[in-house]
Amino acid sequence: MTDSGRSQAVDESTEGTAGHIRGDEPEARGRRAGLVMTLVLGGLTALPPLSMDMYLPALPEVTSALGSPAATIQLTLTACLMGMALGQLIVGPMSDRWGRRRPLLVGMVVYVLATAACAVAPTTELLIGCRLAQGLAGAAGIVIARAVVRDLYDGVAMARFFSTLMLISGVAPVVAPLIGGQILRLTDWRGVFVVLTVIGVLLTLVVWRRLDETLPPARRQDGGLGQALRTMRGLLADRVFTGYMLAGGFAFAALFAYISASPFVVQDIYGASPQTFSLLFGLNSIGLVLVGQINGKVLVGRVSLDKTLAVGLAVITLAAGALLLMTSGVLGEVGLVPVSAGLFVLMSAMGLAMPNTNAQALMRSRDAAGSASALLGTSTFLLGAIASPLVGIAGEHTAVPMALVQLGCALAAVVCFVGLCRPWRRREADVAGTA
C-alpha cells in the first residue's frame, strides 16, 4: 500500500471508530478495560518514574555509604535510564511475537530480583549493574502498557485512555521524591529499594491475576530478530509514524530539559528555597495532569487529534520563546514569578502534545503495537537524555541554555509534525476519497 493510501485508510479507520473499541474485538473485552485495567496499566507506567525518582533524595547518603565520588554515583541514574531506553527495544518485539502477558510477567519478575539486588549491593559497581538490569526489566511495563492500550482501543478512545494514564504517570514523579524522603527518615538508602521491591511484587501479582492477554495468537508475528528488525524498519519507513514519534520525542525532550535545569534555575539563579522549588514543581506537574484530563475528557471526540496536537506544540513553542526572552535579559530584569509562569504554561501544554502523539503514532501500527511502542519509548528517552546535559553547558548560573534547548526542541517538534505528518494532506485525501 502506498503512503497516501495507508494514510487514507488510517484516517478512515479513525473517523469511523472514533470513541469506540475496534469492531473486531468482542464487546466484553472493552468492558474489561475499566477501572482495574486503568489502575494496572497506570501502575506499570508509573513504576519506572518511581524507580528513578524515589532514589534521588538518597544520592548523598549512597555517596558516603559506598565511598564513591558523586559523579560515579550519578552513573546509577544513567544506567537505569539507559536500561529503560534499550529494554523497550527488546521487550516490544517480544510482545508482538509471544503476546503481552508472558514478556510482561518475565520482565516484572526480573525487575523484582534486580531491585532486591540493589538493596543489598555491597559496591558501587554492583549497584550500577543492578540498576541497569532494573531499568531493562522495568521497561517492560512502559512498552507493554502502551501496546495493551493499542490492542483494546482505536481512534479518539485511545487518546482518552492515554490522557487517563497521564493522570497516574504524571503524579508519580512528583510524589516519588517525597516518598523517598519519608523512607529515609525511617531507614537508610537501602530501604528505598526494599520498598520498590515490595511494590514490584504487588504489581506482579496484580498483573498475573487481573491482566488478560490482549493480543490473540492470530495477530502475533512470527520470526526472530530479523523479523523484529524488519518490522521496526517498516515502521520507521512510514513517514507519518516517524513524524509523530519525533514530534513527541522532541516535546518530551523539552520537558526533560526543564526537569534537569529547574533545581538550579529556581534555587541558585532566582534564590528560591527548596520548599518553594518543590511547590512550583508540584504546581507545574498538576498543570500537566489537568490539561491532559481536559484533553481526554473534553477535547477528544470534539476536536481532531491533529488540531489539538498543533495547539499544544504551538503553546510549547511560544512559552519556550518567552522564556528565552526573559532569561536572556531582552525584557530587562525578570523575577521568579514571570519565569515560573512561563514554565507552568510550557509544562501544562505537554498535556495536549504527549497523549496525542502516542495515539496518532500507534494508530498506524495495529499489527506491530509492541514494536511501535518500543520505538516511541526509546526515542523519547534517548532525545531526553541528549537534551538534559545541554542545559548546563554554560554553567549553573544562567537559565539561557535551558530556554534555548526548550525552544530548539519545540521548533524541532513542530518541523517534524508539519513536515512529516502533513495532517492537512491526509485530511484532503480523506475528503477526496469520500467525494
Side-chain angles (χ1 to χ4, degrees):
M1 181 181 290
T2 64
D3 183 76
S4 60
R6 180 168 54 243
S7 300
Q8 182 176 344
V10 171
D11 288 342
E12 289 172 352
S13 172
T14 302
E15 296 297 327
T17 60
H20 300 284
I21 299 169
R22 287 201 304 268
D24 61 349
E25 301 288 352
E27 186 178 352
R29 177 168 293 176
R31 289 196 295 266
R32 286 201 298 270
L35 178 60
V36 173
M37 179 67 74
T38 302
L39 293 177
V40 172
L41 298 182
L44 292 172
T45 306
L47 188 60
L50 288 176
S51 302
M52 287 288 295
D53 297 340
M54 277 180 63
Y55 174 65
L56 294 179
L59 284 177
E61 185 178 331
V62 178
T63 301
S64 58
L66 297 182
S68 296
T72 303
I73 297 299
Q74 287 284 347
L75 291 177
T76 61
L77 296 175
T78 304
C80 189
L81 185 62
M82 287 179 57
M84 290 179 188
L86 297 176
Q88 295 185 64
L89 289 177
I90 299 172
V91 178
M94 289 174 59
S95 73
D96 284 337
R97 183 179 182 185
W98 291 305
R100 312 305 183 199
R101 270 180 61 86
R102 279 194 291 173
L104 177 57
L105 287 171
V106 171
M108 292 302 300
V109 170
V110 175
Y111 172 87
V112 169
L113 295 175
T115 307
C118 289
V120 297
T123 65
T124 302
E125 292 76 18
L126 282 176
L127 181 59
I128 292 173
C130 292
R131 287 285 280 174
L132 177 63
Q134 186 190 39
L136 286 167
I142 305 175
V143 67
I144 293 182
R146 278 196 299 259
V148 167
V149 175
R150 180 63 184 101
D151 292 339
L152 293 173
Y153 289 99
D154 201 357
V156 297
M158 182 164 52
R160 285 197 181 101
F161 205 99
F162 277 127
S163 294
T164 302
L165 286 184
M166 182 172 288
L167 176 62
I168 300 174
S169 60
V171 170
V174 180
V175 302
L178 301 177
I179 296 173
Q182 294 304 310
I183 293 172
L184 292 176
R185 296 181 63 180
L186 303 175
T187 182
D188 62 5
W189 65 273
R190 298 183 187 275
V192 174
F193 291 108
V194 172
V195 173
L196 285 171
T197 301
V198 173
I199 293 174
V201 170
L202 294 176
L203 191 53
T204 302
L205 292 174
V206 172
V207 169
W208 178 56
R209 293 291 302 274
R210 294 288 187 176
L211 186 62
D212 296 331
E213 179 58 63
T214 59
L215 185 66
R219 286 176 47 206
R220 297 177 189 177
Q221 295 189 357
D222 298 325
L225 177 62
Q227 177 61 36
L229 293 176
R230 285 191 294 272
T231 299
M232 289 187 176
R233 184 176 61 189
L235 288 168
L236 293 175
D238 180 356
R239 170 179 51 77
V240 181
F241 172 87
T242 302
Y244 285 122
M245 180 189 73
L246 292 177
F250 278 115
F252 198 76
L255 175 62
F256 256 65
Y258 159 74
I259 293 173
S260 300
S262 59
F264 304 104
V265 171
V266 174
Q267 296 180 79
D268 294 348
I269 298 177
Y270 291 97
S273 65
Q275 292 74 25
T276 301
F277 165 72
S278 299
L279 176 62
L280 292 175
F281 192 91
L283 287 174
N284 290 340
S285 299
I286 291 171
L288 186 153
V289 171
L290 288 179
V291 173
Q293 294 310 293
I294 293 172
N295 175 71
K297 305 297 184 183
V298 178
L299 299 178
V300 171
R302 295 179 174 87
V303 182
S304 74
L305 300 185
D306 280 326
K307 288 181 180 178
T308 305
L309 174 56
V311 171
L313 293 178
V315 173
I316 292 171
T317 304
L318 291 174
L323 284 168
L324 180 59
L325 292 176
M326 288 187 284
T327 57
S328 62
V330 172
L331 301 179
E333 193 73 24
V334 176
L336 178 61
V337 173
V339 172
S340 298
L343 290 172
F344 177 82
V345 172
L346 185 145
M347 279 280 288
S348 299
M350 294 290 175
L352 298 178
M354 292 162 59
N356 294 325
T357 52
N358 281 335
Q360 291 286 64
L362 286 172
M363 273 192 283
R364 306 195 55 91
S365 54
R366 173 183 175 183
D367 296 323
S371 297
S373 179
L375 289 173
L376 289 172
T378 300
S379 63
T380 295
F381 276 99
L382 289 180
L383 288 172
I386 293 171
S388 294
L390 295 179
V391 299
I393 198 170
E396 301 175 1
H397 303 292
T398 173
V400 172
M402 177 194 73
L404 274 174
V405 171
Q406 289 175 328
L407 181 58
C409 289
L411 290 172
V414 171
V415 169
C416 291
F417 175 62
V418 174
L420 297 177
C421 301
R422 303 176 189 174
W424 67 92
R425 291 193 178 181
R426 302 206 319 279
R427 177 63 58 188
E428 290 172 0
D430 185 50
V431 172
T434 57

